[in-house]
Amino acid sequence: MSAMLQCMSHTPLKGYFDPAADVVEEVAALAAAVREEVAHFDPEVVYLFAPDHYNGFFLDLMPQFCLGIEATSVGDYQTPKGPLQVPRALAEACAGAVIARGIDLAFSYRMQVDHGFAQTLVEVLGGLARYPVVPIMINAVAPPLASFQRARLLGAAVGEFARGQGGRALFIASGGMSHNPPIPQIATATDPEVIERIVAGRNPTPEARAARQQRTVAAAQAFAAGDSPLRPLNPDWDRALMKRLCSRDWAAIDAYRNDEVSAAAGASAHELKSWVAATAAMESATAGQWDARERYYRAIPEWLAGFGAMSGLGRHP
């Protein structure tokens, strides 16, 4: 088989509160270069690992991992609404194979995904339904959270399945690096409206969605101005993790503890489990015969995130 890996941060703040024009252009050029590489590779199937932000999954039933057998984008933060092109028989077979390997993977025939998936589908693949895609959600917002080791094992199981299918497989991870946006937690929430929103806030009115998005923009503006209690970005931590992923230092990655990650890099740094899963999938699909490279990193306060990218390509014998 042939395999490619693309890991890239996302941000809901693009177009709402941007950094300097040269930084916006730099990131746009990165996305364009990745999109061109993907088009040249022309994947037959894409396995996309990404988080949710209380837009598709809520506390009335929160799986750690969920594979979409049918999936639709909710259309938040300027991303389009609409169905993804999920190959149903392949997605069902993938779910079965992963569960057979001891991973308690949930699955959904009506999965809703947010900008964590949709921004990558548009910017890296060229549209929600440009390629057949198997979407896999990793819970990164609602403690208790699965470990980095479990994310690796999930990815390895997906990669093994993909290897058995042959063809051209693209593994993509979407997720911010160090960041700590103002996402409410059930353990500390006291406002009944907020509690209801994170327990069962599906399909809000346009006005409610706009109000939520405006709160995120306001938080980013305060953060960039240095007037925010949110945890600072941590470029050193981000770069160390990317280095470990590129070298496939699985022992070090398995040793990451959730509480230590939150303390060092913020509550939403757990989105990097999508990078771990995709990299482990690449490793498994190619039996370790691939090359990885860090291709971009910049801490971008306006986007409330350490923004990075990493790529990999399988070696042909």
Side-chain angles (χ1 to χ4, degrees):
M1 73 172 295
S2 299
M4 173 182 276
L5 171 72
Q6 300 288 357
C7 301
M8 187 183 294
S9 300
H10 63 251
T11 174
L13 290 155
K14 278 184 181 177
Y16 291 93
F17 182 54
D18 288 325
D22 60 331
V23 176
V24 174
E25 292 169 4
E26 186 177 89
V27 174
L30 166 71
V34 172
R35 187 166 58 249
E36 183 175 344
E37 289 175 14
V38 167
H40 181 72
F41 181 68
D42 192 21
E44 293 173 273
V45 61
V46 178
Y47 298 88
L48 172 55
F49 300 88
D52 178 71
H53 310 77
Y54 288 128
N55 286 304
F57 292 86
F58 297 85
L59 295 181
D60 54 1
L61 186 60
M62 178 62 76
Q64 295 297 337
F65 311 129
C66 184
L67 184 150
I69 294 171
E70 294 183 10
T72 302
S73 166
V74 301
D76 63 333
Y77 292 102
Q78 301 188 58
T79 59
K81 286 185 177 180
L84 281 56
Q85 185 196 159
V86 182
R88 177 168 173 166
L90 182 74
E92 289 173 330
C94 183
V98 171
I99 292 169
R101 285 200 52 173
I103 306 298
D104 296 329
L105 175 72
F107 53 88
S108 172
Y109 285 77
R110 195 173 291 176
M111 192 160 98
Q112 290 185 312
V113 302
D114 70 3
H115 65 276
F117 288 81
Q119 189 174 94
T120 296
L121 287 167
V122 171
E123 295 190 356
V124 174
L125 300 186
L128 291 180
R130 173 69 179 82
Y131 295 99
V133 60
V134 178
I136 304 171
M137 189 281 295
I138 295 180
N139 170 29
V141 299
L145 303 171
S147 66
F148 277 68
Q149 181 189 43
R150 294 299 293 175
R152 175 180 66 78
L153 293 172
L154 166 71
V158 172
E160 183 174 294
F161 170 78
R163 188 178 186 187
Q165 300 302 306
R168 296 183 303 279
L170 171 62
F171 302 101
I172 297 187
S174 171
M177 307 198 80
S178 62
H179 66 310
N180 193 46
I183 296 177
Q185 298 291 332
I186 193 67
T188 54
T190 56
D191 184 334
E193 182 178 331
V194 172
I195 293 171
E196 178 61 21
R197 189 168 72 236
I198 62 177
V199 170
R202 290 178 184 80
N203 306 317
T205 64
E207 292 77 15
R209 188 179 296 286
R212 175 181 173 179
Q213 295 179 176
Q214 184 52 47
R215 287 193 291 271
T216 302
V217 173
Q221 291 170 333
F223 184 76
D227 185 24
S228 169
L230 298 177
R231 187 177 304 281
L233 307 181
N234 191 336
D236 290 342
W237 189 92
D238 291 338
R239 288 188 179 280
L241 179 57
M242 271 204 286
K243 183 177 180 181
R244 285 169 174 159
L245 285 171
C246 283
S247 64
R248 283 93 86 185
D249 186 351
W250 299 120
I253 291 168
D254 282 356
Y256 276 72
R257 286 179 41 177
N258 283 339
D259 56 346
E260 293 174 346
V261 169
S262 296
S268 288
H270 297 278
E271 291 183 1
L272 282 165
K273 288 168 185 166
S274 65
W275 288 47
V276 171
T279 305
M282 184 70 177
E283 178 82 351
S284 181
T286 63
Q289 299 302 302
W290 65 289
D291 298 305
R293 67 183 173 112
E294 174 187 337
R295 64 188 302 165
Y296 183 82
Y297 182 79
R298 181 187 285 276
I300 306 178
E302 291 84 354
W303 288 348
L304 274 176
F307 202 98
M310 183 180 119
S311 297
L313 192 62
R315 299 187 212 110
H316 292 285

